[in-house]
Amino acid sequence: MTELAAGLPREGRSVAKTRGRMLDDAALAEIRALIDPVPVRDRLIEYLHAIQGAHGHISAANLRALADLLRIGQAEVYEVATFYDHFDVVKEGEIPPPELTIRICDGIACMMAGAERLIAEMQAGVDPARVRVLRAPCMGGCDVAPAARVGDREVGCADVEMLTRMVERGETALALPAYTDLRTYRAEGGYEQLRRLRDEELTVERVIRELTDSSLRGLGGAGFATGRKWELVRQNPGPRLMTVNADEGEPGTFKDRYHMERNPHPMLEGALIGAHVVEAERIYIYMRGEYAAAYEVIRREIAALEAAELIGRGFIELRRGAGAYICGEESAMVESIEGKRGMPRLRPPVIGQVGLFGRPTLNNNVETLYWVPQILSNGIDWFRDMGLPDHPGIRSWSVSGRVKTPGLIQAPAGSTANDLIAACGGMADGHTFKGFLPGGASGGILPADKGNLRLDFGGALAELQGFVGSHAVVIFSQEDNMRDVALNLVDFFAHESCGKCTPCRAGTEKLTHLLREDTLDEDAIGDLEDVLRDASICGLGQAVPNPVKHLLRYFREDLT
């Protein structure tokens, strides 16, 4: 063992003469007890979660100790910790945050449900020395808006009375939903398709062909053909890895959360099938930091798969995000899994060629994988026939806003906004359909007279400069001012810009200022739109102008 590996002082360097923050022995012992016996650099974010969870913040002494154990610079640990919203870095002399934090969503669906008033009333009504009330970007609870999180307890339809009562009673621990566990799933025929593949009753070529012929597409936003993606990754020289993108952060979207919290195994089986097809050596599931219950469900069921010897120990590794929307972009997600700031990579190459740890990486969304074992079990036509003519397949639509019963709707690809409103029981009482988001914050804002437009990848929707993305549809009524809606969405993008490229970093902020002017400077907005679309390196900056462009095109009555 080398002196460095043994943790001995480096030759010629006295600890007593080390510049900067000195190492605290107590902090070192504390951090050593919280993390892996042999620390691994790419697990930095998991270690930061452990410290934050144990202490409610990350002190300067703990940051210094973690850097020492990982043998990396303090600046490197600091820049990662401060990149993510869920970590509270506290320097010497600063007061740590209170023991309890309440996060209240200020996303678009929650804004319509009164989140601003709820935030103000809670901030005014609690003792700030005991309870911290924070506004948070979309938390994936759009169907139960306004959504909140009290400690580790996720709650929907929140109001002041409910949140105050939870604080008083100490109801802050994680609460798990009822879900289909491994035993139940296997009793219903689960993992049979994986068995057939492993036993060579199904060939790899047949799996790829059936997924291709079924027209299954990536359902996280991009819509790339699943079978074709698997084929392309398989063609790149190994060793290969696989990632599952469970970082569902698009405002208005909650479908992946729904599936993971109720029946996680179709996704897990789909992932294992994908890993087998591309010969991936390991699967990394990247879970959104806001999804505490889904994280625990998946953690338990991975352990159950290991106990049942369906997978080897450590074959599926679960990693957490920490409050960064940009990590939904696949290359930023890869950076985050590697323990870095979640900043998109320049392309080419794509991650299917050079991805996680430099290896060809297959990346799929939760819902995409959810359908894989069902297609292999029920057949190509079963899946295709659930769609509409020229729109094969079925989708999980996240529908929220001014409808009677917001929620997850499984409906054909190509469904219209009017179809989805009807599936939710119609408009809420007293509300008239005015407009909608066809694909979350990124997909633009369309008026009610486009309510019969088929919503799918490309086609007529793309001609209007809108897109279906993650299939998050938010419905607006006469009670909603569309300038306020657009501002909410652009504020979100400005907050979530990673800052890597100047057009997005400066452009999103500038757009929020332009939208707040009494009289909109439409020429300046148009120029800024061109810069954002042409010069941003990832989809965040390129999509920011969509809601503003549609505001100016379809909702001019709301400009004054």
Side-chain angles (χ1 to χ4, degrees):
M1 180 180 290
T2 67
E3 290 186 347
L4 181 61
L8 300 177
R10 296 174 178 83
E11 183 177 351
R13 184 180 182 186
S14 168
V15 173
K17 296 180 180 179
T18 300
R19 294 180 179 180
R21 185 175 290 115
M22 297 300 294
L23 183 63
D24 182 276
D25 290 338
L28 185 65
E30 192 174 80
I31 301 307
R32 185 176 279 125
L34 285 174
I35 67 175
D36 299 325
V38 181
V40 181
R41 168 63 183 82
D42 63 79
R43 288 181 56 80
L44 171 58
I45 294 172
E46 286 300 311
Y47 300 154
L48 292 171
H49 273 296
I51 300 169
Q52 178 78 29
H55 301 288
H57 65 280
I58 301 169
S59 70
N62 286 343
L63 187 148
R64 170 70 175 87
L66 182 58
D68 185 80
L69 291 169
L70 289 173
R71 295 299 187 187
I72 60 177
Q74 293 180 69
E76 191 172 348
V77 179
Y78 179 82
E79 72 176 9
V80 172
T82 54
F83 181 85
Y84 297 93
D85 279 353
H86 292 181
F87 298 138
D88 296 301
V89 176
V90 178
K91 299 179 182 179
E92 294 93 339
E94 293 182 345
I95 299 174
E99 183 176 345
L100 179 62
T101 295
I102 298 175
R103 287 183 164 87
I104 300 174
C105 176
D106 66 359
I108 187 61
C110 292
M111 181 190 83
M112 290 190 287
E116 290 298 330
R117 179 178 177 182
L118 177 59
I119 292 168
E121 291 180 352
M122 285 302 299
Q123 288 176 336
V126 301
D127 178 359
R130 294 181 53 245
V131 180
R132 177 175 60 161
V133 178
L134 298 178
R135 59 175 60 244
C138 183
M139 298 169 67
C142 318
D143 54 331
V144 289
R149 179 168 168 173
V150 183
D152 290 328
R153 180 76 58 89
E154 300 163 271
V155 296
C157 303
D159 58 32
V160 172
E161 182 180 354
M162 172 198 293
L163 298 181
T164 302
R165 183 175 63 249
M166 292 177 68
V167 172
E168 292 173 349
R169 295 179 179 179
E171 297 173 350
T172 62
L174 178 67
L176 289 183
Y179 67 91
T180 300
D181 62 10
L182 176 60
R183 178 182 298 178
T184 304
Y185 183 70
R186 294 186 78 180
E188 296 171 348
Y191 291 99
E192 176 64 13
Q193 303 312 308
L194 178 64
R195 183 201 64 76
R196 292 176 65 211
L197 182 61
R198 287 176 171 175
D199 291 348
E200 299 183 354
E201 293 176 21
L202 271 178
T203 66
V204 164
E205 292 75 19
R206 181 178 171 185
V207 170
I208 291 174
R209 184 173 65 252
E210 292 199 5
L211 294 182
T212 300
D213 292 347
S214 73
S215 298
L216 178 65
R217 305 180 71 163
L219 298 174
F224 195 85
T226 302
R228 180 61 176 156
K229 175 184 279 191
W230 290 19
E231 183 178 36
L232 290 171
V233 173
R234 183 176 167 82
Q235 290 172 358
N236 288 304
R240 306 178 193 92
L241 296 170
M242 182 175 182
T243 54
V244 178
N245 191 339
D247 191 56
E248 180 179 59
E250 185 70 30
T253 314
F254 50 87
K255 63 183 179 66
D256 292 347
R257 175 182 189 165
Y258 180 97
H259 291 308
M260 289 188 291
E261 289 185 351
R262 289 162 175 79
N263 189 6
H265 285 284
M267 178 271 286
L268 290 169
E269 184 177 8
L272 290 169
I273 290 169
H276 185 98
V277 167
V278 303
E279 300 175 359
E281 294 187 348
R282 180 174 289 190
I283 299 171
Y284 291 82
I285 299 177
Y286 187 78
M287 179 67 67
R288 190 178 184 203
E290 288 81 353
Y291 286 1
Y295 174 86
E296 181 61 18
V297 168
I298 298 296
R299 188 196 66 79
R300 292 184 180 194
E301 294 312 299
I302 290 172
L305 287 169
E306 292 177 346
E309 299 184 346
L310 285 170
I311 59 172
R313 183 173 179 82
F315 181 74
I316 301 179
E317 186 163 344
L318 186 56
R319 295 288 181 92
R320 282 173 288 183
Y325 165 79
I326 191 62
C327 292
E329 196 276 339
E330 63 179 13
S331 67
M333 177 198 68
V334 163
E335 290 286 297
S336 188
I337 293 173
E338 292 180 355
K340 305 170 187 174
R341 294 175 294 172
M343 291 186 167
R345 297 175 177 176
L346 295 173
R347 292 180 288 183
V350 297
I351 69 166
Q353 298 167 315
V354 181
L356 186 60
F357 307 124
R359 299 183 182 186
T361 302
L362 174 64
N363 178 57
N364 281 125
N365 161 262
V366 168
E367 190 197 353
T368 305
L369 296 171
Y370 171 87
W371 293 115
V372 166
Q374 299 180 71
I375 290 171
L376 297 178
S377 175
N378 297 307
I380 297 166
D381 291 340
W382 168 83
F383 184 75
R384 290 182 62 89
D385 290 349
M386 286 192 289
L388 298 170
D390 300 320
H391 302 279
I394 192 170
R395 305 283 190 263
S396 298
W397 300 85
S398 305
V399 187
S400 61
R402 308 295 190 181
V403 291
K404 281 187 178 178
T405 55
L408 181 130
I409 302 295
Q410 289 197 327
S415 292
T416 69
N418 284 329
D419 293 335
L420 297 170
I421 291 170
C424 292
M427 294 293 294
D429 292 340
H431 291 268
T432 302
F433 184 26
K434 177 178 180 178
F436 63 104
L437 304 185
S442 303
I445 314 172
L446 297 180
D449 63 17
K450 307 298 182 187
N452 286 323
L453 185 73
R454 294 292 176 198
L455 304 180
D456 207 346
F457 299 104
L461 179 59
E463 292 173 5
L464 298 177
Q465 294 183 299
F467 56 86
V468 73
S470 60
H471 294 75
V473 176
V474 183
I475 304 297
F476 304 111
S477 78
Q478 80 282 0
E479 296 297 318
D480 302 306
N481 181 287
M482 306 314 280
R483 183 171 176 174
D484 292 340
V485 169
L487 186 56
N488 177 280
L489 302 179
V490 175
D491 278 343
F492 168 80
F493 286 124
H495 177 266
E496 296 297 336
S497 174
C498 74
K500 181 172 184 175
C501 67
T502 301
C504 181
R505 181 181 66 248
T508 53
E509 188 70 24
K510 178 64 174 177
L511 194 52
T512 65
H513 294 313
L514 289 172
L515 280 177
R516 284 183 165 85
E517 293 180 354
D518 292 336
T519 302
L520 296 187
D521 185 341
E522 296 186 34
D523 290 336
I525 290 173
D527 290 343
L528 190 54
E529 175 189 350
D530 291 340
V531 172
L532 283 162
R533 291 195 193 281
D534 294 343
S536 297
I537 68 171
C538 83
L540 189 156
Q542 295 161 13
V544 171
N546 290 342
V548 181
K549 189 175 189 70
H550 288 158
L551 168 69
L552 298 176
R553 181 186 299 171
Y554 298 119
F555 302 100
R556 300 197 67 85
E557 69 277 9
D558 286 353
L559 298 183
T560 57

